[in-house]
mmCIF file of all heavy atoms in Angstrom:
data_model
loop_
_atom_site.group_PDB
_atom_site.id
_atom_site.type_symbol
_atom_site.label_atom_id
_atom_site.label_comp_id
_atom_site.label_asym_id
_atom_site.label_seq_id
_atom_site.Cartn_x
_atom_site.Cartn_y
_atom_site.Cartn_z
ATOM 1 N N PRO A 1 5.621 -5.784 -17.200
ATOM 2 C CA PRO A 1 4.990 -6.442 -16.089
ATOM 3 C C PRO A 1 5.845 -6.539 -14.858
ATOM 4 O O PRO A 1 5.333 -6.399 -13.692
ATOM 5 C CB PRO A 1 4.596 -7.787 -16.653
ATOM 6 C CG PRO A 1 4.528 -7.666 -18.104
ATOM 7 C CD PRO A 1 5.572 -6.656 -18.445
ATOM 8 N N ILE A 2 7.146 -6.828 -15.032
ATOM 9 C CA ILE A 2 8.055 -6.965 -13.857
ATOM 10 C C ILE A 2 8.211 -5.617 -13.191
ATOM 11 O O ILE A 2 8.124 -5.530 -11.934
ATOM 12 C CB ILE A 2 9.420 -7.527 -14.326
ATOM 13 C CG1 ILE A 2 9.226 -8.894 -14.923
ATOM 14 C CG2 ILE A 2 10.361 -7.589 -13.163
ATOM 15 C CD1 ILE A 2 10.477 -9.482 -15.571
ATOM 16 N N ALA A 3 8.384 -4.550 -13.949
ATOM 17 C CA ALA A 3 8.538 -3.210 -13.328
ATOM 18 C C ALA A 3 7.253 -2.801 -12.582
ATOM 19 O O ALA A 3 7.290 -2.264 -11.490
ATOM 20 C CB ALA A 3 8.909 -2.195 -14.367
ATOM 21 N N LEU A 4 6.082 -3.052 -13.225
ATOM 22 C CA LEU A 4 4.816 -2.737 -12.608
ATOM 23 C C LEU A 4 4.586 -3.516 -11.357
ATOM 24 O O LEU A 4 4.075 -3.013 -10.375
ATOM 25 C CB LEU A 4 3.659 -2.995 -13.603
ATOM 26 C CG LEU A 4 3.416 -1.908 -14.681
ATOM 27 C CD1 LEU A 4 2.392 -2.339 -15.624
ATOM 28 C CD2 LEU A 4 2.991 -0.567 -13.990
ATOM 29 N N PHE A 5 4.987 -4.774 -11.430
ATOM 30 C CA PHE A 5 4.843 -5.693 -10.208
ATOM 31 C C PHE A 5 5.687 -5.167 -9.068
ATOM 32 O O PHE A 5 5.209 -5.029 -7.921
ATOM 33 C CB PHE A 5 5.297 -7.056 -10.605
ATOM 34 C CG PHE A 5 4.877 -8.149 -9.591
ATOM 35 C CD1 PHE A 5 3.600 -8.563 -9.482
ATOM 36 C CD2 PHE A 5 5.834 -8.645 -8.685
ATOM 37 C CE1 PHE A 5 3.198 -9.499 -8.588
ATOM 38 C CE2 PHE A 5 5.427 -9.583 -7.767
ATOM 39 C CZ PHE A 5 4.154 -10.035 -7.699
ATOM 40 N N GLY A 6 6.966 -4.762 -9.309
ATOM 41 C CA GLY A 6 7.800 -4.241 -8.289
ATOM 42 C C GLY A 6 7.281 -2.863 -7.782
ATOM 43 O O GLY A 6 7.307 -2.599 -6.572
ATOM 44 N N LEU A 7 6.835 -2.040 -8.682
ATOM 45 C CA LEU A 7 6.285 -0.756 -8.267
ATOM 46 C C LEU A 7 5.051 -0.903 -7.425
ATOM 47 O O LEU A 7 4.837 -0.188 -6.460
ATOM 48 C CB LEU A 7 5.903 0.099 -9.519
ATOM 49 C CG LEU A 7 5.344 1.490 -9.262
ATOM 50 C CD1 LEU A 7 6.291 2.391 -8.477
ATOM 51 C CD2 LEU A 7 4.912 2.175 -10.564
ATOM 52 N N THR A 8 4.189 -1.871 -7.783
ATOM 53 C CA THR A 8 2.964 -2.103 -6.962
ATOM 54 C C THR A 8 3.318 -2.563 -5.528
ATOM 55 O O THR A 8 2.710 -2.131 -4.612
ATOM 56 C CB THR A 8 2.110 -3.196 -7.644
ATOM 57 O OG1 THR A 8 1.762 -2.745 -8.984
ATOM 58 C CG2 THR A 8 0.836 -3.483 -6.899
ATOM 59 N N LEU A 9 4.345 -3.389 -5.462
ATOM 60 C CA LEU A 9 4.772 -3.871 -4.146
ATOM 61 C C LEU A 9 5.335 -2.731 -3.327
ATOM 62 O O LEU A 9 5.034 -2.593 -2.122
ATOM 63 C CB LEU A 9 5.854 -4.945 -4.329
ATOM 64 C CG LEU A 9 6.484 -5.560 -3.036
ATOM 65 C CD1 LEU A 9 5.382 -6.166 -2.197
ATOM 66 C CD2 LEU A 9 7.543 -6.579 -3.359
ATOM 67 N N LEU A 10 6.126 -1.917 -3.937
ATOM 68 C CA LEU A 10 6.698 -0.700 -3.190
ATOM 69 C C LEU A 10 5.619 0.269 -2.732
ATOM 70 O O LEU A 10 5.676 0.753 -1.619
ATOM 71 C CB LEU A 10 7.722 0.001 -4.068
ATOM 72 C CG LEU A 10 9.018 -0.770 -4.448
ATOM 73 C CD1 LEU A 10 9.842 -0.016 -5.448
ATOM 74 C CD2 LEU A 10 9.833 -1.014 -3.134
ATOM 75 N N LEU A 11 4.688 0.541 -3.641
ATOM 76 C CA LEU A 11 3.554 1.393 -3.255
ATOM 77 C C LEU A 11 2.739 0.809 -2.137
ATOM 78 O O LEU A 11 2.284 1.543 -1.210
ATOM 79 C CB LEU A 11 2.707 1.724 -4.515
ATOM 80 C CG LEU A 11 3.343 2.612 -5.617
ATOM 81 C CD1 LEU A 11 2.408 2.647 -6.798
ATOM 82 C CD2 LEU A 11 3.625 3.992 -5.088
ATOM 83 N N GLY A 12 2.541 -0.476 -2.199
ATOM 84 C CA GLY A 12 1.793 -1.174 -1.172
ATOM 85 C C GLY A 12 2.502 -1.043 0.222
ATOM 86 O O GLY A 12 1.860 -0.773 1.220
ATOM 87 N N LEU A 13 3.790 -1.176 0.164
ATOM 88 C CA LEU A 13 4.569 -1.014 1.391
ATOM 89 C C LEU A 13 4.393 0.380 2.016
ATOM 90 O O LEU A 13 4.232 0.541 3.226
ATOM 91 C CB LEU A 13 6.060 -1.317 1.151
ATOM 92 C CG LEU A 13 7.009 -1.333 2.312
ATOM 93 C CD1 LEU A 13 6.665 -2.431 3.297
ATOM 94 C CD2 LEU A 13 8.467 -1.515 1.850
ATOM 95 N N ILE A 14 4.532 1.387 1.166
ATOM 96 C CA ILE A 14 4.322 2.758 1.604
ATOM 97 C C ILE A 14 2.873 2.967 2.086
ATOM 98 O O ILE A 14 2.681 3.544 3.208
ATOM 99 C CB ILE A 14 4.638 3.718 0.404
ATOM 100 C CG1 ILE A 14 6.122 3.633 0.021
ATOM 101 C CG2 ILE A 14 4.252 5.142 0.814
ATOM 102 C CD1 ILE A 14 6.436 4.381 -1.254
ATOM 103 N N GLY A 15 1.918 2.487 1.396
ATOM 104 C CA GLY A 15 0.508 2.632 1.841
ATOM 105 C C GLY A 15 0.247 1.994 3.112
ATOM 106 O O GLY A 15 -0.444 2.528 4.071
ATOM 107 N N GLY A 16 0.827 0.823 3.379
ATOM 108 C CA GLY A 16 0.654 0.123 4.675
ATOM 109 C C GLY A 16 1.270 0.884 5.821
ATOM 110 O O GLY A 16 0.703 0.982 6.912
ATOM 111 N N GLU A 17 2.424 1.485 5.579
ATOM 112 C CA GLU A 17 3.142 2.251 6.648
ATOM 113 C C GLU A 17 2.371 3.525 6.954
ATOM 114 O O GLU A 17 2.209 3.905 8.118
ATOM 115 C CB GLU A 17 4.566 2.610 6.187
ATOM 116 C CG GLU A 17 5.344 3.330 7.215
ATOM 117 C CD GLU A 17 5.553 2.552 8.553
ATOM 118 O OE1 GLU A 17 5.401 1.295 8.532
ATOM 119 O OE2 GLU A 17 5.821 3.217 9.538
ATOM 120 N N LEU A 18 1.815 4.197 5.947
ATOM 121 C CA LEU A 18 1.034 5.405 6.172
ATOM 122 C C LEU A 18 -0.249 5.070 6.979
ATOM 123 O O LEU A 18 -0.606 5.800 7.869
ATOM 124 C CB LEU A 18 0.637 6.077 4.849
ATOM 125 C CG LEU A 18 1.850 6.709 4.041
ATOM 126 C CD1 LEU A 18 1.307 7.215 2.690
ATOM 127 C CD2 LEU A 18 2.443 7.846 4.890
ATOM 128 N N ALA A 19 -0.888 3.981 6.625
ATOM 129 C CA ALA A 19 -2.072 3.545 7.363
ATOM 130 C C ALA A 19 -1.711 3.247 8.827
ATOM 131 O O ALA A 19 -2.444 3.675 9.745
ATOM 132 C CB ALA A 19 -2.702 2.352 6.704
ATOM 133 N N ARG A 20 -0.636 2.533 9.050
ATOM 134 C CA ARG A 20 -0.215 2.217 10.428
ATOM 135 C C ARG A 20 0.084 3.444 11.214
ATOM 136 O O ARG A 20 -0.311 3.539 12.394
ATOM 137 C CB ARG A 20 1.000 1.309 10.388
ATOM 138 C CG ARG A 20 1.436 0.794 11.741
ATOM 139 C CD ARG A 20 2.741 0.014 11.645
ATOM 140 N NE ARG A 20 3.843 0.922 11.439
ATOM 141 C CZ ARG A 20 4.454 1.636 12.363
ATOM 142 N NH1 ARG A 20 4.001 1.570 13.632
ATOM 143 N NH2 ARG A 20 5.459 2.469 12.068
ATOM 144 N N ARG A 21 0.655 4.451 10.585
ATOM 145 C CA ARG A 21 1.057 5.706 11.381
ATOM 146 C C ARG A 21 -0.161 6.561 11.681
ATOM 147 O O ARG A 21 -0.100 7.463 12.511
ATOM 148 C CB ARG A 21 2.098 6.469 10.566
ATOM 149 C CG ARG A 21 3.455 5.869 10.454
ATOM 150 C CD ARG A 21 4.463 6.743 9.812
ATOM 151 N NE ARG A 21 5.746 6.147 9.715
ATOM 152 C CZ ARG A 21 6.871 6.701 9.287
ATOM 153 N NH1 ARG A 21 6.820 7.985 8.945
ATOM 154 N NH2 ARG A 21 8.001 6.056 9.201
ATOM 155 N N SER A 22 -1.278 6.306 11.005
ATOM 156 C CA SER A 22 -2.471 7.014 11.341
ATOM 157 C C SER A 22 -3.019 6.669 12.699
ATOM 158 O O SER A 22 -3.802 7.389 13.254
ATOM 159 C CB SER A 22 -3.554 6.730 10.298
ATOM 160 O OG SER A 22 -4.071 5.414 10.453
ATOM 161 N N ARG A 23 -2.581 5.480 13.258
ATOM 162 C CA ARG A 23 -3.017 4.963 14.541
ATOM 163 C C ARG A 23 -4.553 4.711 14.600
ATOM 164 O O ARG A 23 -5.093 4.515 15.662
ATOM 165 C CB ARG A 23 -2.687 5.980 15.691
ATOM 166 C CG ARG A 23 -1.152 6.121 15.852
ATOM 167 C CD ARG A 23 -0.769 6.899 17.136
ATOM 168 N NE ARG A 23 0.631 6.927 17.275
ATOM 169 C CZ ARG A 23 1.365 5.982 17.882
ATOM 170 N NH1 ARG A 23 0.743 4.899 18.318
ATOM 171 N NH2 ARG A 23 2.668 6.095 17.939
ATOM 172 N N VAL A 24 -5.184 4.740 13.491
ATOM 173 C CA VAL A 24 -6.625 4.372 13.368
ATOM 174 C C VAL A 24 -6.764 3.149 12.440
ATOM 175 O O VAL A 24 -7.486 2.213 12.770
ATOM 176 C CB VAL A 24 -7.428 5.500 12.846
ATOM 177 C CG1 VAL A 24 -8.875 5.145 12.633
ATOM 178 C CG2 VAL A 24 -7.326 6.732 13.785
ATOM 179 N N LEU A 25 -6.033 3.205 11.340
ATOM 180 C CA LEU A 25 -6.162 2.132 10.334
ATOM 181 C C LEU A 25 -5.048 1.146 10.541
ATOM 182 O O LEU A 25 -3.873 1.477 10.792
ATOM 183 C CB LEU A 25 -6.046 2.723 8.920
ATOM 184 C CG LEU A 25 -7.172 3.723 8.518
ATOM 185 C CD1 LEU A 25 -6.841 4.331 7.140
ATOM 186 C CD2 LEU A 25 -8.528 3.041 8.442
ATOM 187 N N PRO A 26 -5.305 -0.162 10.346
ATOM 188 C CA PRO A 26 -4.217 -1.159 10.298
ATOM 189 C C PRO A 26 -3.515 -1.093 8.950
ATOM 190 O O PRO A 26 -4.025 -0.518 7.994
ATOM 191 C CB PRO A 26 -4.970 -2.494 10.437
ATOM 192 C CG PRO A 26 -6.400 -2.190 9.965
ATOM 193 C CD PRO A 26 -6.628 -0.767 10.237
ATOM 194 N N SER A 27 -2.304 -1.595 8.925
ATOM 195 C CA SER A 27 -1.528 -1.531 7.681
ATOM 196 C C SER A 27 -2.214 -2.253 6.506
ATOM 197 O O SER A 27 -2.011 -1.797 5.353
ATOM 198 C CB SER A 27 -0.153 -2.170 7.945
ATOM 199 O OG SER A 27 -0.294 -3.542 8.385
ATOM 200 N N ILE A 28 -3.035 -3.254 6.821
ATOM 201 C CA ILE A 28 -3.766 -3.940 5.735
ATOM 202 C C ILE A 28 -4.595 -2.991 4.911
ATOM 203 O O ILE A 28 -4.679 -3.091 3.676
ATOM 204 C CB ILE A 28 -4.666 -5.054 6.336
ATOM 205 C CG1 ILE A 28 -3.801 -6.114 6.993
ATOM 206 C CG2 ILE A 28 -5.547 -5.656 5.239
ATOM 207 C CD1 ILE A 28 -4.619 -7.092 7.772
ATOM 208 N N SER A 29 -5.212 -2.017 5.606
ATOM 209 C CA SER A 29 -6.038 -1.037 4.914
ATOM 210 C C SER A 29 -5.274 -0.268 3.851
ATOM 211 O O SER A 29 -5.708 0.028 2.762
ATOM 212 C CB SER A 29 -6.682 -0.097 5.854
ATOM 213 O OG SER A 29 -7.494 -0.816 6.784
ATOM 214 N N GLY A 30 -4.006 0.044 4.206
ATOM 215 C CA GLY A 30 -3.144 0.744 3.238
ATOM 216 C C GLY A 30 -2.773 -0.063 2.006
ATOM 217 O O GLY A 30 -2.761 0.361 0.894
ATOM 218 N N TYR A 31 -2.484 -1.378 2.280
ATOM 219 C CA TYR A 31 -2.162 -2.284 1.107
ATOM 220 C C TYR A 31 -3.338 -2.366 0.145
ATOM 221 O O TYR A 31 -3.179 -2.295 -1.076
ATOM 222 C CB TYR A 31 -1.855 -3.698 1.607
ATOM 223 C CG TYR A 31 -0.724 -3.769 2.655
ATOM 224 C CD1 TYR A 31 -0.759 -4.738 3.661
ATOM 225 C CD2 TYR A 31 0.338 -2.913 2.641
ATOM 226 C CE1 TYR A 31 0.220 -4.845 4.609
ATOM 227 C CE2 TYR A 31 1.346 -2.991 3.568
ATOM 228 C CZ TYR A 31 1.315 -3.947 4.529
ATOM 229 O OH TYR A 31 2.282 -4.030 5.501
ATOM 230 N N ILE A 32 -4.560 -2.550 0.719
ATOM 231 C CA ILE A 32 -5.731 -2.727 -0.104
ATOM 232 C C ILE A 32 -6.040 -1.408 -0.820
ATOM 233 O O ILE A 32 -6.385 -1.429 -2.040
ATOM 234 C CB ILE A 32 -6.950 -3.134 0.785
ATOM 235 C CG1 ILE A 32 -6.712 -4.516 1.315
ATOM 236 C CG2 ILE A 32 -8.222 -3.116 -0.046
ATOM 237 C CD1 ILE A 32 -7.662 -4.967 2.344
ATOM 238 N N ALA A 33 -5.857 -0.271 -0.125
ATOM 239 C CA ALA A 33 -6.180 1.010 -0.810
ATOM 240 C C ALA A 33 -5.236 1.292 -1.994
ATOM 241 O O ALA A 33 -5.682 1.734 -3.049
ATOM 242 C CB ALA A 33 -6.000 2.130 0.222
ATOM 243 N N VAL A 34 -3.924 0.929 -1.839
ATOM 244 C CA VAL A 34 -2.992 1.065 -2.929
ATOM 245 C C VAL A 34 -3.389 0.199 -4.103
ATOM 246 O O VAL A 34 -3.373 0.584 -5.245
ATOM 247 C CB VAL A 34 -1.547 0.759 -2.494
ATOM 248 C CG1 VAL A 34 -0.605 0.604 -3.686
ATOM 249 C CG2 VAL A 34 -1.060 1.868 -1.558
ATOM 250 N N GLY A 35 -3.752 -1.060 -3.794
ATOM 251 C CA GLY A 35 -4.193 -1.950 -4.854
ATOM 252 C C GLY A 35 -5.370 -1.468 -5.589
ATOM 253 O O GLY A 35 -5.487 -1.517 -6.874
ATOM 254 N N PHE A 36 -6.368 -0.879 -4.869
ATOM 255 C CA PHE A 36 -7.524 -0.323 -5.527
ATOM 256 C C PHE A 36 -7.179 0.821 -6.394
ATOM 257 O O PHE A 36 -7.667 0.965 -7.521
ATOM 258 C CB PHE A 36 -8.578 0.047 -4.459
ATOM 259 C CG PHE A 36 -9.777 0.750 -5.040
ATOM 260 C CD1 PHE A 36 -10.740 -0.009 -5.686
ATOM 261 C CD2 PHE A 36 -9.965 2.099 -4.954
ATOM 262 C CE1 PHE A 36 -11.893 0.571 -6.227
ATOM 263 C CE2 PHE A 36 -11.058 2.712 -5.543
ATOM 264 C CZ PHE A 36 -12.038 1.937 -6.154
ATOM 265 N N LEU A 37 -6.256 1.684 -5.966
ATOM 266 C CA LEU A 37 -5.892 2.919 -6.671
ATOM 267 C C LEU A 37 -5.183 2.587 -7.976
ATOM 268 O O LEU A 37 -5.355 3.227 -9.018
ATOM 269 C CB LEU A 37 -4.996 3.809 -5.789
ATOM 270 C CG LEU A 37 -5.780 4.568 -4.676
ATOM 271 C CD1 LEU A 37 -4.763 5.317 -3.762
ATOM 272 C CD2 LEU A 37 -6.816 5.457 -5.170
ATOM 273 N N VAL A 38 -4.313 1.490 -7.963
ATOM 274 C CA VAL A 38 -3.603 1.187 -9.212
ATOM 275 C C VAL A 38 -4.436 0.262 -10.114
ATOM 276 O O VAL A 38 -3.992 -0.003 -11.219
ATOM 277 C CB VAL A 38 -2.241 0.531 -8.904
ATOM 278 C CG1 VAL A 38 -1.351 1.456 -8.080
ATOM 279 C CG2 VAL A 38 -2.417 -0.816 -8.219
ATOM 280 N N GLY A 39 -5.537 -0.234 -9.555
ATOM 281 C CA GLY A 39 -6.377 -1.178 -10.324
ATOM 282 C C GLY A 39 -7.349 -0.525 -11.215
ATOM 283 O O GLY A 39 -7.405 0.697 -11.295
ATOM 284 N N PRO A 40 -8.207 -1.360 -11.885
ATOM 285 C CA PRO A 40 -9.162 -0.825 -12.836
ATOM 286 C C PRO A 40 -10.295 0.034 -12.201
ATOM 287 O O PRO A 40 -10.950 0.769 -12.910
ATOM 288 C CB PRO A 40 -9.778 -2.100 -13.479
ATOM 289 C CG PRO A 40 -9.461 -3.196 -12.506
ATOM 290 C CD PRO A 40 -8.163 -2.837 -11.840
#
């Protein structure tokens, strides 16, 4: 669980930065998208 928790946080950070660089999506959209992808 600890490794998965850290990995989820790192992936969220990457997703948020990719969304921000799109200049269309806010970083929040990237965080949520990563959560959805790693979720059920």
